[in-house]
Amino acid sequence: MRSGLAAACAVVLTAGVVLPASAADGQSSRPAPGGSGAGDAYFPFAGNGGYDAVHYDLDLRYQPPAAAPAPLTGQLTAVATVTIVPTRHLTSLNLDLRGLTVESVVVKNRPASFTRQGDELVITPKTILPRGRAVDVVVTYGGATGRPVDIEGALYGWVTTRDGAMVASEPDGSMTWYPVSDHPTDKATYDVSVDVPAGLVAVGNGDLVGSTTANGRTTWEWSSREPMASYLVTASVGNYELRQWTTPDGLLNIDAIDRDLAPAASAGLAQTAEMIAFFETRFGPYPFSSYGAIVDDDSVGYALETQTRPIYSRSASEGTVAHELAHQWMGNTVSPERWSDIWLNEGWASYAEWLWSEHDGRTTAAENFADVMAIPATNAFWQTVVADPGPLGLFAGAVYDRGAATLYALRQEIGATAFDALSVEWPTRYKDSVATTDDFQALAEELSGQDLEEFFDVWVWTAGKPALP
Ligand code: ARG
Ligand code: ZN
């Protein structure tokens, strides 16, 4: 594969200007390093260049903290096998990993050299990895776990708890617990096994393959056949009771409810089956092979829509349950291509809360919309540009509420028929993929036959309170 490289190693732009092909795109046939990012302006080092990660096989062994009052430190020992497909001939490649210690890296069954540079694990295999040929990268690593925080100071990633771990990694926290191409553009399937002290339960995404107990330890195996963005991966550990049940339509649910919580903490889950059926009438068929909830007695301070199995801190309120369920369509099957597109997740999930509330006979969507529009124009709320809120504004209130109001206003603008078609077509057309705000506008224009440039300009690209539709 190394012959014939010279011919294609340069791109001629205009007479006299020649750039190395590596600076122009990833399609060159000249071998080169993969690169340290996916090109997201908010998190330049999240994700990596030069390959697609297609599957992760994570074998984790976890020892939660010793009995209180010891500090909240756990021990993780792990082997991650990452199957990648190079998109160019690679001399080296990066994975994202923060903290922990890498013991060895093996590529194509041969030891590879590696260095750590910030959150980058830079791996140099013995030979060039040819474009298009799948290869396994095996990383043996581990170390002490703590309670990491994101750029806003919120807990995320592998959050060590008194009796386990709450794993909630949006936006770039997966790198705190496994070597990963940590960006939604690089979705992959997962097999995750977690070996924990017997009595504890490790709960992951997707299907429960099984659990085996020997010598005082239990290994829990989970499998996700549908591609998943890294921020949606969980492997939470706790004193959980597993409850398996099936919706009237035959969808398997696996709930993991912390035994240390009062029953009221999970009361908001009671209408899950009705919510799934309701959102299927709005957004199309539920996109994954199973569902369920994780309710932990520790708190990261928010809930997260971890794929097929949202995780809740201390209690799952009905509105939040509706919100995290709606994300399975709006955010999980279609994910943001750039973190600046986050309003497409949070606006839709918040709008879905309004729909459920109205369906359930409480506050109507019109009333919720009126509440948002009652916020005075002088309020700082209106200063967030929701389609570009900045990395510190990802979870600003306006991303949620102005995002939801935008969708409500869009329905007024294009009419119920086009809007209902859009609500199904968005997660269908971009199933298992990513899309941008421009893609969303284009689809709305396609389905309505209207020019929506000004609408989107005013509602999502410009600060300031929009006029009522
Ligand atoms: N996507 C989550 C939700 O709205 C919220 C995550 C908040 N994360 C944070 N670091 N504040 O359901
Ligand atoms: Zn949300």
Side-chain angles (χ1 to χ4, degrees):
M1 295 299 285
R2 256 181 287 181
S3 58
L5 295 177
C9 73
V11 173
V12 179
L13 289 180
T14 54
V17 182
V18 178
L19 282 183
S22 58
D25 61 32
Q27 299 308 308
S28 162
S29 55
R30 166 191 251 176
S36 58
D40 193 310
Y42 286 15
F43 301 93
F45 295 101
N48 299 286
Y51 67 87
D52 285 334
V54 296
H55 183 74
Y56 293 82
D57 195 312
L58 307 179
D59 277 319
L60 313 175
R61 185 179 201 276
Y62 183 57
Q63 194 59 39
L72 287 176
T73 303
Q75 287 294 327
L76 194 62
T77 316
V79 180
T81 303
V82 187
T83 306
I84 64 159
V85 178
T87 52
R88 62 174 308 141
H89 301 314
L90 286 176
T91 54
S92 69
L93 68 125
N94 290 29
L95 286 164
D96 303 312
L97 185 66
R98 184 179 301 158
L100 302 171
T101 300
V102 175
E103 210 168 278
S104 69
V105 180
V106 171
V107 181
K108 284 192 189 167
N109 301 314
R110 297 176 71 187
S113 62
F114 60 90
T115 58
R116 305 288 296 273
Q117 298 170 10
D119 292 343
E120 300 292 316
L121 169 62
V122 184
I123 298 168
T124 307
K126 287 249 190 305
T127 59
I128 285 165
L129 306 180
R131 175 169 68 210
R133 218 177 282 171
V135 58
D136 284 349
V137 177
V138 184
V139 181
T140 302
Y141 67 101
T145 67
R147 290 171 64 90
V149 291
D150 66 14
I151 52 168
E152 287 189 77
L155 288 166
Y156 83 148
W158 187 280
V159 178
T160 306
T161 64
R162 184 182 45 79
D163 57 2
M166 263 190 96
V167 182
S169 301
E170 190 180 21
D172 65 339
S174 280
M175 65 174 84
T176 69
W177 63 283
Y178 66 96
V180 54
S181 181
D182 205 358
H183 194 268
T185 45
D186 203 356
K187 294 187 180 189
T189 54
Y190 283 77
D191 286 305
V192 179
S193 86
V194 194
D195 168 341
V196 295
L200 293 181
V201 174
V203 55
N205 312 84
D207 308 323
L208 176 58
V209 178
S211 67
T212 50
T213 300
N215 305 319
R217 311 243 350 149
T218 302
T219 302
W220 296 87
E221 284 182 70
W222 298 85
S223 176
S224 297
R225 293 295 114 203
E226 296 111 356
M228 173 161 53
S230 53
Y231 74 95
L232 299 169
V233 183
T234 192
S236 295
V237 178
N239 182 25
Y240 302 135
E241 180 188 335
L242 279 187
R243 299 181 191 160
Q244 305 205 30
W245 57 280
T246 304
T247 67
D249 291 338
L251 179 69
L252 175 66
N253 275 245
I254 305 176
D255 296 330
I257 311 296
D258 203 310
R259 296 174 195 271
D260 302 321
L261 287 167
S266 43
L269 298 173
Q271 293 182 85
T272 297
E274 291 83 351
M275 288 179 187
I276 294 170
F278 173 65
F279 287 140
E280 285 190 326
T281 69
R282 299 305 164 114
F283 306 146
Y286 176 77
F288 304 117
S289 63
S290 67
Y291 193 59
I294 306 168
V295 189
D296 195 281
D297 70 335
D298 201 309
S299 179
V300 299
Y302 53 86
L304 184 66
E305 62 268 24
T306 31
Q307 189 155 303
T308 70
R309 202 141 294 123
I311 187 160
Y312 303 87
S313 294
R314 294 205 179 113
S315 84
S317 71
E318 187 182 319
T320 306
V321 170
H323 180 108
E324 308 309 339
L325 172 59
H327 271 311
Q328 305 305 312
W329 289 261
M330 306 303 193
N332 293 8
T333 190
V334 50
S335 306
E337 184 165 328
R338 294 289 168 233
W339 281 108
S340 53
D341 298 312
I342 184 76
W343 82 274
L344 291 167
N345 283 13
E346 302 309 342
W348 267 112
S350 303
Y351 179 71
E353 274 186 76
W354 296 2
L355 296 180
W356 171 256
S357 169
E358 177 168 322
H359 176 79
D360 206 37
R362 288 173 289 108
T363 312
T364 64
E367 287 163 344
N368 270 307
F369 177 73
D371 280 352
V372 176
M373 298 314 286
I375 298 172
T378 50
N379 193 301
F381 173 89
W382 297 108
Q383 290 317 306
T384 299
V385 175
V386 296
D388 191 10
L392 293 169
L394 284 185
F395 306 110
V399 170
Y400 289 71
D401 297 339
R402 182 173 178 163
T406 297
L407 294 166
Y408 185 93
L410 180 62
R411 190 169 187 271
Q412 313 302 302
E413 184 78 15
I414 66 177
T417 306
F419 187 84
D420 291 350
L422 176 64
S423 308
V424 174
E425 188 61 13
W426 177 241
T428 304
R429 187 168 304 185
Y430 292 99
K431 181 179 169 58
D432 298 332
S433 188
V434 290
T436 64
T437 298
D438 286 345
D439 293 327
F440 184 65
Q441 180 184 327
L443 187 60
E445 291 180 340
E446 177 190 321
L447 295 174
S448 68
Q450 283 174 235
D451 178 350
L452 298 170
E453 191 67 19
E454 197 192 328
F455 177 90
F456 277 88
D457 253 6
V458 168
W459 277 91
V460 304
W461 291 112
T462 310
K465 185 176 177 177
L468 276 174

